[in-house]
Amino acid sequence: MRTSPFCVRSTERKMAALRAGSLARALHKAKGQGFAQMFFGARAASGESKDSLPGAFPKTPEEIAAAAKKYNMTVHDYKPHPDDGLGFGDYPKLPARSQAERDPWYSWDHPDLRRNWGEPMHWDFDMFIRNRVDTSPTPVDWQTMSRTLLGFVGFMLFMFYLGEVFPSYQPVAPKQYPFNNLYLENGGNPEKEPEEVKNYKI
Amino acid sequence: MADYKDAPLASRPKTLDPAEYFNLSPEYRRAEEERAAVRANLKRQYQMQLNNPHRKELIEDPALNRWVYARSNIYPHFRATSKTSLMGVLFGVVPLIFWFGVFKTDRDNREEKIKAGTYDRTYKISY
């Protein structure tokens, strides 16, 4: 039985040696690429293989077919982003439609996202979820909407402008105070005779 | 359908797409069948994993992994073209110079006014 204390310690030592070896291999692999690559360059063997991840822009028809198959799309539908150096690689350029436009009654695998498992995601998928940007058709066309809004706002602005030019309010006058405009309360000299203030005209 | 006008920035629903009703060419049908086959295969894969009684882990979605990987690994496919260089200058260099100019002239004007004594502090809470 390999569970006696002596055997357990030897297997632990072997595991420690294995781990040290893999660390040494990672360091060796990264020596030409810098500190950051030491951690991100040495990938684990579990998870995706390199050819199922996005790659460079496809140029030959074989590359295009392979990329379409990788992204679970038909060759007819697969169109990469134009190769102008912005960094898209071979990621497909899907139509910019939000998830709100998709059929609400179809049995999606993920009903809140209206998406099926394995379906290629738009580059701006996080923008097109149902809580955010919605590109669905409007009940009234754009021209009518914009004309209504601009017409209303313009009319209100014009009316406020007229109200500034021709003001209309109850007649007011400055407040009149008794006792010669409160001469003593405002700190006037009690010895001196204040000048007479007449706030009325008969 | 004759007088339906699409709104810009919004799509026409698939049920109002004329291709669904008038374009019944074999190529269109074949393309639709291919798409349906891909979709059915993906559905089958997902259902097999979902209803597997021995599954203990989460079902990982390779499309999601590809999306995340593509969004985070833009630099390896970046190239310095005229367009990207122009964008770099417009968004990275010009705002610095512009806002430096704006703030500098504004502050110089204010300093002159303060020195001359004409700075109007009527509604200023601080300074």
Side-chain angles (χ1 to χ4, degrees), chain A residues 77 101 107 115 122-123 137, chain B residues 10-11 35 43 61 67 71:
Chain A
D77 288 337
E101 284 191 30
S107 59
R115 180 181 165 269
H122 193 278
W123 184 268
Chain B
S11 76
R35 278 181 218 129
K43 279 274 193 187
D61 187 354
W67 179 70
R71 288 269 293 242

Side-chain angles (χ1 to χ4, degrees), chain A residues 148-165:
Chain A
T148 312
L149 178 69
L150 287 175
F152 176 71
V153 169
F155 174 72
M156 293 308 292
L157 283 173
F158 176 67
M159 293 307 285
F160 278 117
Y161 170 70
L162 281 185
E164 290 292 313
V165 169

Side-chain angles (χ1 to χ4, degrees), chain B residues 90-111:
Chain B
L90 268 179
F91 287 104
V93 177
V94 165
L96 284 172
I97 303 174
F98 174 74
W99 289 114
F100 168 75
V102 165
F103 289 134
K104 186 92 174 68
T105 48
D106 180 48
R107 286 191 182 188
D108 288 344
N109 288 347
R110 195 173 350 149
E111 187 63 28

Side-chain angles (χ1 to χ4, degrees), chain A residues 54-57 81-91 123, chain B residues 69-81 84:
Chain A
F57 184 78
H81 287 263
D83 185 25
D84 50 7
L86 283 170
F88 289 107
D90 65 354
Y91 203 82
W123 184 268
Chain B
Y69 183 89
R71 288 269 293 242
S72 11
N73 290 294
I74 295 179
Y75 187 65
H77 305 296
F78 173 78
R79 249 182 17 246
T81 67
T84 57

Side-chain angles (χ1 to χ4, degrees), chain A residues 48 50 52-56 70-72 74 76-77 83-87 89 91 97 101 106-110 115-119 121-126 135-138 141-142, chain B residues 4-13 31 34-35 38-39 42-43 45-47 49 59-67 69-71 73-75 77-81 83-84 87:
Chain A
E48 309 289 302
K50 201 78 175 175
S52 73
L53 287 173
K70 176 171 73 176
Y71 288 108
N72 295 325
T74 56
H76 177 77
D77 288 337
D83 185 25
D84 50 7
L86 283 170
Y91 203 82
R97 305 268 175 261
E101 284 191 30
Y106 175 80
S107 59
W108 302 100
D109 292 338
H110 305 294
R115 180 181 165 269
N116 284 323
W117 183 87
E119 192 188 316
M121 297 167 79
H122 193 278
W123 184 268
D124 294 315
F125 179 79
D126 48 351
T135 59
S136 37
T138 49
D141 63 296
W142 192 264
Chain B
Y4 179 84
K5 276 197 296 289
D6 301 43
L9 300 176
S11 76
R12 181 177 272 255
E34 274 182 39
R35 278 181 218 129
V38 170
R39 203 163 39 228
L42 290 173
K43 279 274 193 187
Q45 280 183 39
Y46 181 64
Q47 290 294 326
Q49 284 180 284
I59 306 175
E60 71 163 327
D61 187 354
L64 183 70
N65 294 344
R66 280 190 284 271
W67 179 70
Y69 183 89
R71 288 269 293 242
N73 290 294
I74 295 179
Y75 187 65
H77 305 296
F78 173 78
R79 249 182 17 246
T81 67
K83 180 174 171 187
T84 57
M87 279 168 80

